Amino acid sequence: MQAKFMFGNEAIARGAFEAGVKVVAGYPGTPATEIVDHCASFPGIYAEWSSNEKHAFEVAGGACLTNQRAMAVMKHNGTNAAADYLMHINFTGVKAGLVLISADDPGGLSSQCEEDTRILIHTYAHLPMFDPANVQEAYQMTKLAFDLSEKTELVFAIRPVMRINHAGGMVECQGSITAGKPPEFVPDRSRFVMSAVVEKEYGGELRPKMRHRWLNNKQAELKAIMEESPFNWIDSSEGDIGFVGCGIGYAFLKEAEKIYGQSLPIMKLGTLPIPEKKTLEFLKGLKKVVIFEEIEPVVERLVKQLCFENKISLDILGRESFLPKEGELSTNLVLTAVQAVFAGKDYPAPAQGKYIPARTRTQCGGCSHRGLLFAMKEVVRKNGGVVTGDIGCHDAGTFEPMKLQATIYCMGSSIPMAYGIQKAGFDKPVYALIGDSTFFHNGLTGLASAIFNKANITVVIGYNSTTAMTGFQPHAASTNNLMSKDVKPINPGELAAAMGAKVFWCNPYNVEDTIRVITEATQEEGVKVVVAEALCYLKFGREGKISYQPVPVAVDIDVCNGCGICIRTFGCPAITLVADKARIDESACNKCGVCIHVCKRGAIK
Amino acid sequence: MKFDLVIAGVGGQGNILATQVIAQCAIDAGLNVANTETKGAAQRGGSVTSHLRISDETIFSPLVPHGQADILLGLEPLEAFRHIALLSSNGKYIINTAPVPTILSNIKIDTYPSQEQLLADIQQRNLTGYFINATQEAKNIGDALLVNVVMLGAFSKVSNIVGDNVLLAKLLSLVDERYHQADKLAFECGRRLIRLEG
Ligand code: SF4
Ligand code: SF4
Ligand code: SF4
């Protein structure tokens, strides 16, 4: 078949489709998001956005026990949210093939943190993983992972990195599609009931210990599979300094080799566990080996362990001992390392570059969050309160010029952190600001905890009806899902009221009203929820739906004294200071009118 | 044969469309193509950088290594400067001189470098290329959003990796017919600007 240009996420979806996947569930997260959307476009696949990654994994788990191939899709820190299920399904094993996609973001280009999920999935949960070196491999690995998962009865995971998910390359597809089996659920309680029960057949051993042994015993089978895997190989060459490229590390290594202009002994690794025999064969005769892998020294430590066990002594260099310990690999990083190692030098300290003015993120012109952030800022400016933040477009409110939220951690942490601050004795009002998608992801349980524990906080929910940050995926408060255009949204405010919170409503485009409502809510005792309801401008504006009356705005330059408050504290991208007067760029302004409230002189009309 | 291109700009400037047009032409010509983009989240106004690699051999990395780009197409001068180290010493830059200030420079936390400063910093590196005010030309044609098309026209004049007619035809095939007239004008204008410079 002829090669086709595809992005990594499309290639992964294609591989899953050809492998006969029937159920795909995920929660949006850069860089993995588009995989689920692509899957939804193939015939015969049920695809969904679940409320969070744990639930996505559980949906896929249920499907695989029903003899249907299934896939769960998430980004790295999403896998943390799914870690609980991960640490059970690894012990039970699967029935039909189950593939977990956990996309890493080396350098944290689009993430809250830089973490390596190989540690969670392989080192911790002892599950096999593939680490693709290019888009073609991402496709092949996905396809093969389903077969291997079924054969070994284990979840197979794939760890693509940003430069795979969001990279386009030529992909040759096999085209053949694996036929599915009829759905069938046969209970097998000795496997699929994880509990501390006595196993009579195993001499009275407890089930958790018995399943642990089962998983441990699987490792030999996995090692044998990886020994034969098409994703590991050796590019032999002369010399006693060898190089190992893991996943995309191999791509950078091969580029660096070209620029270096001399062929190098290279081993390409794409699997965990690593192929031990092949690795030993590669290491034979080497004095030094440098290992290039994204983020943490996972393979490096395995190679060290392998050498220790086999009483082999050589210098093993990598992320742990030689290369920069943080950040993304690149061809230049690898090239620098190759040059340094041949010169017998340390990896050079990175030169401090000259700062080039950064382009920070903000909300779109016309975004409802800006009015909400501004209103909350007005409230806490007066009462000295603290705002804990959460993930979503509104999180840019923590940067200049808004600088509102004082914390951003992980999905849903705003609410428990807020009442932790209050319970610790902070004597001014505490606010948690959370979006609707995040509220359903992991905010609900935090809210329940706050109400049950008699917290005294104000939770503000930015209810814009979409998961805007990752590209407008629907969630439980949307009117559609991936398979259906007609869904009754679960209103987060009604839900909070049913849980016992005092609920207030406002439209954040109406800044004065929003300030009044939040102030009013603050004065009440207990857990208050303010629902700031207005559609995401960027998504719904295109569909002709906006939550404000558009008003033409302009700066009256006779009234404007150039104080810059509208710019320094507000930051709508449409407003700039030109010749010491504010100016609204008509082509960038979406006429939401929020800035009218910002200028105390009344220069914006 | 290998050809590495970096397109650096700001969200909303049509960076991705420009990359797609060139990539599609190369794919049609039976070449290998690899590409990746670095962009912020859904919000507008962040940096957007596309790397496009074209070769008749295997391409390993989707990212253009430092000092390897044959052309740096800068849709915005600061963004071009941010990525100038990617350009090969034999490469050529084509830079739109019209600045898009950053948020931090608007609130005076950062200083957006003056045009003279930026251009001097770029020239100091002993690189060759072209500075054109594509934004002004696009506005003259009637729409600032045509910047990417003016830049594509300029690109077609500087590089022969794909024929200019092929490039224009591909562009037109990807956009709505009612924009064709303006796109043709903008493309021609980009080509003309390079002729004047050269
Ligand atoms: S995408 Fe929607 S929610 Fe996000 S900043 Fe833009 S308008 Fe606001
Ligand atoms: S518009 Fe108002 S807030 Fe903005 S600079 Fe002028 S006077 Fe100051
Ligand atoms: S300039 Fe004012 S009216 Fe226009 S988008 Fe920005 S805040 Fe809204």
Side-chain angles (χ1 to χ4, degrees):
Chain A
M1 201 180 157
Q2 226 208 320
K4 208 180 144 224
F5 182 80
M6 260 185 225
F7 278 87
N9 283 342
E10 192 182 345
I12 290 170
R14 179 89 216 171
F17 170 65
E18 289 185 13
V21 76
K22 287 290 175 292
V23 173
V24 177
Y27 185 81
T30 312
T33 312
E34 299 82 359
I35 298 171
V36 176
D37 289 323
H38 282 296
C39 285
S41 69
F42 286 112
I45 297 182
Y46 168 80
E48 72 163 42
W49 290 119
S50 314
S51 284
N52 65 35
E53 294 83 356
K54 178 171 182 280
H55 299 333
F57 203 178
E58 289 156 343
V59 168
C64 99
L65 297 196
T66 316
N67 225 13
Q68 300 300 301
R69 289 190 166 185
M71 184 159 83
V73 180
M74 54 201 69
K75 76 179 291 183
H76 54 82
N77 43 6
T79 318
N80 301 341
D84 204 2
Y85 192 64
L86 176 72
M87 288 309 293
H88 288 85
I89 199 170
N90 59 343
F91 295 116
T92 71
V94 302
K95 206 159 161 203
L98 174 48
V99 171
L100 167 65
I101 308 285
S102 176
D104 278 352
D105 183 8
L109 305 174
S110 275
S111 300
Q112 289 78 38
C113 66
E114 179 185 45
E115 67 170 280
D116 187 334
T117 40
R118 293 178 305 163
I119 297 178
L120 185 61
I121 299 168
H122 181 68
T123 315
Y124 186 50
H126 308 305
L127 290 174
M129 294 186 86
F130 288 149
D131 190 0
N134 54 44
V135 178
Q136 172 76 40
E137 259 196 358
Y139 157 78
Q140 282 167 311
M141 285 175 164
T142 311
K143 196 164 178 179
L144 189 61
F146 281 95
D147 291 340
L148 290 172
S149 168
E150 229 154 77
K151 188 169 160 219
T152 61
E153 299 185 311
L154 289 167
V155 172
F156 254 70
I158 299 172
R159 189 278 290 250
V161 293
M162 175 77 92
R163 304 301 183 188
I164 299 288
N165 298 93
H166 284 180
M170 308 307 288
V171 178
E172 261 177 66
C173 296
Q174 290 148 328
S176 61
I177 295 164
T178 310
K181 297 188 183 114
E184 176 187 46
F185 189 94
V186 184
D188 180 353
R189 295 189 173 78
S190 71
R191 281 181 66 196
F192 303 126
V193 175
M194 285 294 283
S195 182
V197 255
V198 171
E199 294 283 3
K200 207 168 159 192
E201 299 153 55
Y202 289 87
E205 212 161 65
L206 283 175
R207 190 172 294 162
K209 184 175 166 194
M210 187 273 269
R211 295 309 302 176
H212 188 188
R213 179 173 307 126
W214 173 83
L215 180 59
N216 284 339
N217 289 344
K218 278 283 172 189
Q219 301 305 312
E221 185 184 344
L222 289 173
K223 283 180 187 173
I225 289 172
M226 300 317 184
E227 212 61 70
E228 304 303 321
S229 169
F231 306 126
N232 301 316
W233 66 80
I234 294 168
D235 298 333
S236 19
S237 189
E238 295 296 302
D240 57 9
I241 302 180
F243 300 88
V244 177
C246 310
I248 192 121
Y250 176 74
F252 295 131
L253 185 50
K254 293 303 277 186
E255 291 287 343
E257 183 190 35
K258 260 201 242 170
I259 301 172
Y260 190 66
Q262 182 188 318
S263 121
L264 307 168
I266 288 176
M267 178 170 204
K268 189 269 185 194
L269 288 179
T271 70
L272 284 173
I274 59 168
E276 298 188 341
K277 287 199 197 89
K278 196 171 260 152
T279 307
L280 288 171
E281 178 194 320
F282 176 69
L283 296 178
K284 201 177 286 163
L286 294 183
K287 289 207 177 76
K288 225 176 234 182
V289 65
V290 191
I291 298 168
F292 298 98
E293 57 190 315
E294 272 310 8
I295 314 187
E296 298 284 347
V298 173
V299 170
E300 183 181 349
R301 285 181 188 159
L302 289 172
V303 172
K304 284 176 176 168
Q305 187 182 335
L306 183 68
C307 289
F308 178 79
E309 283 164 359
N310 288 276
K311 305 194 167 41
I312 294 170
S313 166
L314 81 161
D315 291 338
I316 300 166
L317 309 178
R319 290 276 194 175
E320 191 159 51
S321 44
F322 177 63
L323 302 171
K325 288 187 171 59
E326 307 83 24
E328 203 183 7
L329 295 176
S330 66
T331 297
N332 298 87
L333 184 152
V334 173
L335 182 63
T336 306
V338 169
Q339 286 162 341
V341 83
F342 278 117
K345 290 188 182 143
D346 287 343
Y347 188 89
Q352 189 70 41
K354 207 176 122 209
Y355 172 72
I356 301 175
R359 280 191 201 276
T360 45
R361 217 148 49 75
T362 183
Q363 289 85 21
C364 308
C367 174
S368 62
H369 291 322
R370 190 171 282 105
L372 177 61
L373 292 162
F374 185 74
M376 290 183 76
K377 202 159 112 175
E378 285 292 291
V379 173
V380 296
R381 193 169 56 85
K382 288 196 188 116
N383 66 19
V386 163
V387 181
T388 59
D390 229 301
I391 322 291
C393 286
H394 43 83
D395 71 5
T398 189
F399 311 144
E400 296 281 2
M402 203 58 93
K403 290 219 285 196
L404 175 72
Q405 301 97 307
T407 63
I408 304 268
Y409 284 78
C410 48
M411 298 286 285
S413 53
S414 60
I415 300 173
M417 284 190 72
Y419 87 79
I421 293 171
Q422 177 253 317
K423 295 284 182 192
F426 184 72
D427 62 353
K428 298 194 182 75
V430 191
Y431 301 85
L433 173 58
I434 187 167
D436 44 8
S437 190
T438 315
F439 180 68
F440 283 103
H441 179 288
N442 218 345
L444 266 175
T445 48
L447 183 66
S449 192
I451 293 168
F452 160 66
N453 287 302
K454 289 186 169 293
N456 183 15
I457 55 166
T458 307
V459 176
V460 180
I461 302 178
Y463 180 16
N464 68 358
S465 296
T466 186
T467 316
M469 180 96 160
T470 44
F472 319 120
Q473 291 74 29
H475 55 61
S478 304
T479 51
N480 68 301
N481 63 30
L482 266 181
M483 296 282 123
S484 162
K485 287 195 167 24
D486 179 24
V487 177
K488 187 175 182 308
I490 305 173
N491 188 307
E494 288 170 14
L495 197 54
M499 288 165 80
K502 292 185 193 112
V503 180
F504 300 78
W505 302 85
C506 61
N507 178 338
Y509 286 110
N510 188 336
V511 177
E512 257 119 57
D513 192 51
T514 303
I515 293 174
R516 185 184 56 74
V517 170
I518 297 173
T519 310
E520 215 175 284
T522 312
Q523 278 146 11
E524 297 276 333
E525 274 298 305
V527 177
K528 294 82 61 175
V529 171
V530 177
V531 184
E533 186 179 0
L535 296 170
C536 159
Y537 168 78
L538 194 57
K539 174 179 166 55
F540 295 100
R542 289 177 197 157
E543 302 167 15
K545 288 181 272 184
I546 47 176
S547 300
Y548 58 88
Q549 275 297 330
V551 282
V553 291
V555 178
D556 183 338
I557 52 166
D558 294 330
V559 182
C560 172
N561 67 355
C563 70
I565 287 174
C566 55
I567 294 160
R568 274 199 323 275
T569 69
F570 185 61
C572 174
I575 314 177
T576 47
L577 212 56
V578 179
D580 283 335
K581 300 277 177 187
R583 179 193 286 173
I584 291 174
D585 175 357
E586 228 177 288
S587 66
C589 167
N590 293 315
K591 306 184 174 52
C592 72
V594 169
C595 54
I596 295 172
H597 306 273
V598 177
C599 176
K600 299 287 181 258
R601 287 180 66 84
I604 304 181
K605 292 177 185 150
Chain B
M1 181 288 253
K2 77 103 192 166
F3 178 81
D4 287 335
L5 168 70
V6 174
I7 306 186
V10 176
Q13 286 190 316
N15 182 328
I16 308 230
L17 177 69
T19 314
Q20 262 180 13
V21 172
I22 302 169
Q24 281 301 330
C25 292
I27 293 165
D28 292 349
L31 293 163
N32 278 328
V33 167
N35 144 247
T36 187
E37 281 134 20
T38 309
K39 52 175 189 252
Q43 294 85 349
R44 295 162 175 178
S47 303
V48 181
T49 315
S50 306
H51 291 232
L52 177 63
R53 315 195 69 193
I54 300 172
S55 177
D56 54 6
E57 290 170 36
T58 311
I59 306 167
F60 290 101
S61 152
L63 287 165
V64 175
H66 280 210
Q68 297 288 315
D70 298 285
I71 292 207
L72 169 68
L73 202 58
L75 304 186
E76 200 276 346
L78 182 67
E79 295 314 309
F81 183 62
R82 202 187 298 286
H83 296 95
I84 197 82
L86 295 174
L87 190 59
S88 146
S89 50
N90 307 317
K92 288 242 179 332
Y93 57 76
I94 310 168
I95 298 174
N96 176 18
T97 52
V100 178
T102 67
I103 296 173
L104 296 182
S105 67
N106 277 342
I107 56 177
K108 304 217 159 25
I109 286 179
D110 277 348
T111 316
Y112 189 100
S114 70
Q115 189 160 334
E116 297 73 47
Q117 167 100 54
L118 268 177
L119 303 193
D121 279 348
I122 290 169
Q123 274 158 344
Q124 199 199 29
R125 292 173 176 252
N126 269 334
L127 296 164
T128 52
Y130 305 88
F131 293 109
I132 58 181
N133 193 336
T135 304
Q136 193 50 53
E137 299 291 337
K139 279 185 186 157
N140 291 349
I141 296 167
D143 192 345
L145 291 176
L146 290 167
V147 161
N148 59 345
V149 183
V150 176
M151 293 300 283
L152 265 181
F155 168 82
S156 79
K157 187 77 191 168
V158 177
S159 161
N160 51 11
I161 184 75
V162 278
D164 51 339
N165 290 331
V166 179
L167 203 62
L168 181 59
K170 181 56 77 182
L171 168 73
L172 297 181
S173 76
L174 291 174
V175 297
D176 195 290
E177 212 167 308
R178 60 201 151 115
Y179 302 121
H180 283 189
Q181 197 47 39
D183 279 336
K184 282 185 204 158
L185 281 174
F187 192 84
E188 237 348 281
C189 163
R191 292 182 58 79
R192 202 177 52 240
L193 287 173
I194 295 299
R195 208 174 298 153
L196 290 177
E197 287 279 331

